[in-house]
Amino acid sequence: MTLKSADGGDVRVLVSDPNSDHQQGDVLEIIGTLSPENCLECFVTRSMGRDFDLDLYNDLITKVMSPENGQYNEYFLPK
């Protein structure tokens, strides 16, 4: 399936959990890894509700993950 990400991009997602039951319009948190086919392979999915502010969330993630913050550079910047 293809989902819209918090920053407005499209993300291909592989969901292997048969208990995953989400409807169109739900805001989901998805934790997983990127497959060789550039799909997100889900480990965990959970609903964040339909009123979750994705713009605010994207701002938070952008600030936390910025190179200026430096806290996570070793994990997310090219070597």
Side-chain angles (χ1 to χ4, degrees):
M1 79 176 81
T2 300
L3 301 175
K4 186 72 65 184
S5 67
D7 65 359
D10 291 329
V11 179
R12 291 186 324 151
V13 179
L14 300 174
V15 180
S16 58
D17 181 359
N19 298 318
S20 180
D21 183 30
H22 304 291
Q23 303 299 319
Q24 184 170 347
D26 289 349
V27 176
L28 305 175
E29 177 181 38
I30 299 175
I31 300 171
T33 61
L34 190 61
S35 75
E37 296 82 26
N38 287 326
C39 290
L40 180 60
E41 294 183 17
C42 301
F43 299 143
V44 176
T45 62
R46 65 184 129 230
S47 176
M48 304 300 280
R50 290 181 173 243
D51 297 327
F52 192 84
D53 189 333
L54 286 173
D55 290 330
L56 183 61
Y57 180 76
N58 190 53
D59 287 345
L60 169 74
I61 295 300
T62 300
K63 288 177 183 168
V64 168
M65 300 303 293
S66 73
E68 293 80 27
N69 180 352
Q71 187 172 359
Y72 301 104
N73 288 354
E74 67 181 286
Y75 302 109
F76 295 102
L77 290 180
K79 297 185 185 227

